[in-house]
Amino acid sequence: MSTDSAKNGTRWLPRLLGVLLLLMGLALLAGGIKLSQLGGSLYYLIAGIGFALSGILLLAQRRIALGLYGLVLLGSTAWALLEVGLDWWQLVPRLAIWFAIGVVLLLPWARRPLIGPAAKANTALLSVAVVASGACALGSQFTHPGEVFGELGRESSEMASAAPAMPDGEWQAYGRTEHGDRYSPLRQITPQNAYRLEEAWRIRTGDLPTDNDPVELTNQNTPLKVNGMLYACTAHSKLLALDPDTGAEIWRYDPQVKSPVGTFKGFAHMTCRGVSYYDENNYVSRDGSPAPKITDAGQAVAQACPRRLYLPTADARLIAINADNGKVCEGFANQGVIDLTTGIGPFTAGGYYSTSPAAITRDLVIIGGHVTDNESTNEPSGVIRAYDVHDGHLVWNWDSNNPDDTKPLAPGKTYSRNSANMWSIASVDEDLGMIYLPLGNQTPDQWGADRTPGAEKYSAGVVALDLTTGKARWNYQFTHHDLWDMDVGSQPTLVHLKTADGVKPAIIVPTKQGSLYVLDRRDGTPIVPIREIPTPQGAVKGDHTSPTQARSDLNLLGPELTEQAMWGATPFDQMLCRIQFRELRYEGQYTPPSEQGSLIYPGNVGVFNWGSVSVDPVRQLLFTSPNYMAFVSKMVPREQVAAGSKRESETSGVQPNTGAPYAVTMHPFMSPLGVPCQAPAWGYVAAIDLFTNKVVWKHKNGTTRDSTPVPIGLPVGVPSMGGSIVTAGGVGFLSGTLDQYLRAYDTNNGKELWKARLPAGGQATPMTYSGKDGKQYVLVTAGGHGSLGTKMGDYIIAYKLAD
């Protein structure tokens, strides 16, 4: 081949790069013009011109193309540093593609065919630009924006657990005790030996999604360990008893849940977070008080079923099961069953049932229920009902729309429609004689013009009810006139705190908006200050907003969003995210939903959701996994709702809001490539010192391994859905991240000690217990989460230290 032929053969590379740069430059120019018209950054317009001209010059085979490209790359690097500093994940969409093209242009095969003067000067300018952008990438490896590094530095304090006593190796309630602290006194697993954890056993329950199930089929179960067995429920409300050491099935109960329409597709979601346990022997004058009066029917149940499980089902039943053998306790209620639809009135299939376990006291089993969000203005009551734990008769009921009348509803009567509900888990302090309810709101979530006085007082807050009468002793509302679905999804945690005024019985309530409200649980007065902050005004026509909202001084709020905080996988979808940001209404937290479309941050998934937090009462340390994901909420006037529009889930599709003048659409704030428009991290693990109320450490948590087509685990920090636990050994566990891992952390400093790959999404709260072999086990349900898109499964897996 002649020399001329060889030269002609290499000219395709600069020409190809020229076409590529011209097209990319024109795309940036078009988007940059739009963004500048919205008042956004001029960078994309200017860079678009520069890259397009570079492409034209490359097509013309001119050496000056190298210098011009180097100049634009150098300017892009300076702009990126001014916007985000040395933040690796923020620099990637801004510089990665341009850096890679710059490297290619420096290759001899790209430079050699170019003609024109000053070849060395142009090459030198491009080299400087490539080195500068590469240095930024290298330097950003040593920065940790958004993270906090520190150590608690104490193994104990003067404090001790005030939770109800139980054997160290048991886990008798969803939060281990009815105080909901998710703390185990087991200490066999430590930061020094956690690396030796290995799988002890796994089982498959056989309960997998079917074609008749809703999108949001989720397995959020935290099993119990008590009575020598493990007790786990599945998404279809099946109940299993397992051997703690081997996972072998001892018995199984299938309630044969049924939908009125023959399919569960109309359900908003299906889940079973847990069951409740009651042992007659645990509650007989255990504190020296007189034994409760038990009816003859109750005495019969106590003799036939002295140890009982209470199973909530997806078809709105509460069933009493003999914990020893899995048989229904026929003497309880109506042949072992409480019909939770009694007095509720009509509702669409799946519109009412209990997704969470009932609270248990010496005398009562107390339960609320899920009410489908944004279905209509005429939904079932959110009434909370207390039944006699022995025979199942209704003792009292508390309806936020009729809060003073707690005597049992008369036969044939109906509770008020559409009152605030409790879909999450309550906590109980029997010494103070109160149950603490984390309340939802009155639907629809984004339209509040028709809210009742009861909803305006009690919803989206915590209410303390008297255990004997069911009457409200106190309440504290965290979100006034809630238009953002900021209902309280977390179980409150009851703990004794050391304060300047002495030790106080406290209640800690994590919330979706990022505040952790710390109150004296005797009367609801704040222990950590709560301030009413001014908030954006201007709801849709006919509605209003509260002028202020309650914000705790103890919070894990992220910084407010800005255009500079917009992200994307490439410069192009990042630019489109910036355009979306400018087109949406956003004035900070509590921006009202609008016809324009409002950016809601934190989104309705929340900073904290049903996973709540865990508290080590001895170290006085709170361990948690905050999330940071923005949502878009758009109000759609009724006359503009397109024919055939329908909801796909509670967070996608058109939410009908039947009876309200507006429907609503909600979706995560995502780029056209399906990645979040806000910059990472989106999920952390963190610890708070409860002596100082300061963050001790906060680290990005989780990888992209199961969120992208490329199975590479980039440590970006992903959202989690599921709670944490802490142990006296100084180790915390969490499994809820979008990547499929159970992780162990040193609670002193947040260091990741160990992780185990799960066969499906682990969106549940793990638990720990002692086996018959004397070993400490850590157990997790890996069943996936439909709305999060994690892999579905039917696994229960236990781990213990290797011999």
Side-chain angles (χ1 to χ4, degrees):
M1 181 183 291
S2 68
T3 304
D4 289 341
S5 298
K7 288 181 178 179
N8 289 333
T10 59
R11 287 176 180 167
W12 65 268
L13 182 55
R15 286 173 176 164
L16 177 62
L17 290 173
V19 171
L20 185 63
L21 274 175
L22 176 59
L23 293 176
M24 291 195 295
L26 291 174
L28 288 182
L29 177 60
I33 292 172
K34 174 70 171 177
L35 183 59
S36 65
Q37 290 172 339
L38 294 169
S41 172
L42 295 175
Y43 164 78
Y44 296 91
L45 188 156
I46 297 169
I49 294 172
F51 289 131
L53 287 176
S54 298
I56 292 171
L57 290 170
L58 281 172
L59 287 171
Q61 304 281 287
R62 310 304 296 180
R63 286 176 179 157
I64 195 174
L66 300 180
L68 178 58
Y69 186 86
L71 189 63
V72 179
L73 177 57
L74 202 58
S76 298
T77 303
W79 166 78
L81 287 174
L82 285 172
E83 281 216 319
V84 299
L86 291 175
D87 184 337
W88 163 259
W89 288 110
Q90 291 260 40
L91 292 174
V92 166
R94 288 171 168 83
L95 295 178
I97 288 178
W98 313 132
F99 170 78
I101 292 175
V103 170
V104 174
L105 284 173
L106 286 174
L107 297 174
W109 304 280
R111 290 186 289 111
R112 192 175 293 130
L114 302 180
I115 60 175
K120 290 184 178 180
N122 286 304
T123 302
L125 180 57
L126 177 57
S127 299
V128 169
V130 169
V131 169
S133 59
C136 287
L138 182 63
S140 65
Q141 299 298 307
F142 303 99
T143 64
H144 304 278
E147 296 191 86
V148 177
F149 292 84
E151 293 191 355
L152 181 66
R154 61 172 178 263
E155 290 298 314
S156 63
S157 68
E158 300 173 1
M159 305 299 294
S161 176
M166 73 171 63
D168 286 356
E170 298 198 346
W171 194 282
Q172 295 185 6
Y174 177 81
R176 189 171 181 269
T177 73
E178 294 294 340
H179 279 207
D181 56 14
R182 279 160 283 279
Y183 166 78
S184 169
L186 296 178
R187 55 179 67 245
Q188 194 175 98
I189 300 169
T190 68
Q192 290 72 40
N193 63 23
Y195 72 93
R196 290 172 40 214
L197 282 166
E198 63 179 18
E199 186 173 312
W201 56 261
R202 73 168 61 186
I203 66 150
R204 303 193 66 171
T205 68
D207 192 351
L208 288 165
T210 71
D211 292 339
N212 290 325
D213 287 329
V215 171
E216 295 193 23
L217 183 77
T218 60
N219 204 329
Q220 301 170 353
N221 177 241
T222 297
L224 307 184
K225 195 273 184 173
V226 64
N227 193 33
M229 289 179 260
L230 292 168
Y231 299 107
C233 64
T234 70
H236 292 93
S237 309
K238 297 174 183 178
L239 179 59
L240 284 70
L242 308 174
D243 182 281
D245 287 35
T246 65
E249 187 172 311
I250 298 171
W251 55 256
R252 172 184 294 239
Y253 173 73
D254 185 352
Q256 300 290 326
V257 294
K258 294 179 176 61
S259 168
V261 294
T263 175
F264 294 107
K265 281 190 176 294
F267 281 48
H269 53 75
M270 286 182 67
T271 193
C272 179
R273 293 188 184 93
V275 295
S276 308
Y277 178 77
Y278 183 88
D279 186 338
E280 295 285 348
N281 295 321
N282 287 350
Y283 289 91
V284 178
S285 300
R286 62 180 178 83
D287 56 359
S289 61
K293 294 181 179 178
I294 304 177
T295 63
D296 290 343
Q299 293 284 5
V301 172
Q303 291 177 5
C305 296
R307 290 161 292 279
R308 297 186 290 283
L309 297 165
Y310 294 93
L311 170 70
T313 68
D315 52 5
R317 291 176 286 165
L318 183 65
I319 305 175
I321 307 294
N322 189 321
D324 295 335
N325 56 29
K327 305 296 183 182
V328 174
C329 298
E330 297 285 348
F332 180 83
N334 182 13
Q335 295 185 316
V337 177
I338 294 173
D339 181 1
L340 296 176
T341 67
T342 301
I344 291 296
F347 57 90
T348 56
Y352 179 87
Y353 75 101
S354 292
T355 57
S356 298
I360 295 292
T361 77
R362 184 177 67 174
D363 306 323
L364 303 170
V365 51
I366 305 168
I367 195 163
H370 147 83
V371 175
T372 301
D373 289 345
N374 301 315
E375 179 74 20
S376 76
T377 59
N378 186 28
E379 290 301 298
S381 174
V383 63
I384 287 84
R385 288 172 283 190
Y387 298 92
D388 185 283
V389 76
H390 305 284
D391 63 22
H393 76 268
L394 184 62
V395 177
W396 53 256
N397 36 229
W398 186 80
D399 182 339
S400 64
N401 283 346
N402 190 20
D404 297 325
D405 186 5
T406 62
K407 63 180 181 294
L409 186 73
K413 297 295 183 180
T414 303
Y415 296 106
S416 73
R417 301 289 287 173
N418 212 33
S419 55
N421 67 319
M422 181 190 71
W423 58 267
S424 187
I425 303 100
S427 297
V428 175
D429 186 333
E430 289 204 69
D431 293 334
L432 292 177
M434 282 186 274
I435 181 170
Y436 304 92
L437 312 177
L439 280 196
N441 46 34
Q442 189 178 62
T443 64
D445 293 325
Q446 286 76 27
W447 170 256
D450 301 324
R451 299 268 169 86
T452 61
E456 296 287 36
K457 178 178 180 180
Y458 294 109
S459 67
V462 66
V463 181
L465 301 184
D466 186 284
L467 283 175
T468 302
T469 65
K471 293 186 182 293
R473 298 258 288 266
W474 59 262
N475 79 285
Y476 205 110
Q477 187 176 64
F478 305 134
T479 307
H480 314 312
H481 194 71
D482 182 11
L483 300 176
W484 306 271
D485 191 19
M486 292 297 163
D487 53 358
V488 185
S490 297
Q491 180 185 22
T493 295
L494 310 186
V495 62
H496 279 18
L497 295 180
K498 185 177 181 181
T499 74
D501 300 321
V503 175
K504 291 186 176 182
I507 178 172
I508 302 175
V509 190
T511 57
K512 290 182 177 181
Q513 64 264 43
S515 280
L516 296 113
Y517 298 93
V518 185
L519 310 171
D520 188 318
R521 65 178 182 265
R522 295 171 294 189
D523 55 16
T525 57
I527 294 175
V528 174
I530 300 172
R531 307 175 197 280
E532 290 289 332
I533 60 167
T535 51
Q537 298 299 292
V540 292
K541 184 179 178 180
D543 206 347
H544 68 279
T545 54
S546 171
T548 63
Q549 294 291 349
R551 178 174 291 170
S552 172
D553 280 4
L554 178 57
N555 65 74
L556 284 173
L557 284 168
E560 290 191 354
L561 296 180
T562 62
E563 184 192 321
Q564 289 81 1
M566 294 302 100
W567 202 63
T570 70
F572 307 101
D573 61 327
Q574 182 184 54
M575 176 181 67
L576 294 174
C577 283
R578 285 177 177 248
I579 291 172
Q580 284 189 69
F581 177 80
R582 287 289 180 178
E583 289 178 330
L584 292 167
R585 181 181 178 188
Y586 179 68
E587 300 160 31
Q589 191 176 21
Y590 302 111
T591 299
S594 62
E595 291 185 52
Q596 171 186 347
S598 294
L599 190 57
I600 310 300
Y601 179 73
N604 62 327
V605 171
V607 177
F608 306 104
N609 207 292
W610 54 264
S612 193
V613 299
S614 51
V615 172
D616 182 332
V618 177
R619 289 181 172 88
Q620 291 281 286
L621 182 79
L622 183 148
F623 175 48
T624 186
S625 54
N627 295 320
Y628 300 94
M629 289 293 291
F631 270 65
V632 175
S633 179
K634 184 174 182 178
M635 305 297 281
V636 184
R638 180 64 54 198
E639 63 273 11
Q640 296 179 18
V641 177
S645 298
K646 62 180 181 179
R647 72 190 304 155
E648 297 168 13
S649 71
E650 286 192 317
T651 55
S652 62
V654 178
Q655 312 295 307
N657 290 356
T658 304
Y662 296 88
V664 65
T665 61
M666 294 181 296
H667 57 84
F669 186 35
M670 306 291 277
S671 85
L673 295 184
V675 299
C677 270
Q678 67 186 92
W682 308 296
Y684 292 84
V685 283
I688 293 170
D689 184 341
L690 293 175
F691 280 170
T692 64
N693 295 318
K694 302 294 184 183
V695 174
V696 179
W697 51 262
K698 181 182 178 184
H699 303 318
K700 290 183 291 187
N701 190 48
T703 70
T704 59
R705 172 166 179 172
D706 298 300
S707 305
T708 64
V710 181
I712 299 175
L714 299 175
V716 66
V718 297
S720 63
M721 187 62 72
S724 61
I725 64 171
V726 288
T727 69
V731 181
F733 293 91
L734 177 74
S735 65
T737 51
L738 284 180
D739 59 352
Q740 295 164 201
Y741 288 99
L742 170 65
R743 291 180 168 89
Y745 310 84
D746 186 333
T747 56
N748 181 55
N749 55 30
K751 179 183 177 182
E752 184 179 299
L753 302 168
W754 166 89
K755 65 182 178 181
R757 181 72 175 157
L758 299 175
Q763 282 69 54
T765 302
M767 51 83 75
T768 185
Y769 63 91
S770 291
K772 296 188 290 288
D773 59 1
K775 294 291 183 104
Q776 180 183 354
Y777 289 75
V778 178
L779 181 143
V780 66
T781 299
H785 196 288
S787 59
L788 286 181
T790 55
K791 184 179 178 181
M792 304 302 288
D794 61 337
Y795 300 89
I796 300 174
I797 308 174
Y799 303 85
K800 66 178 180 178
L801 295 174
D803 293 329

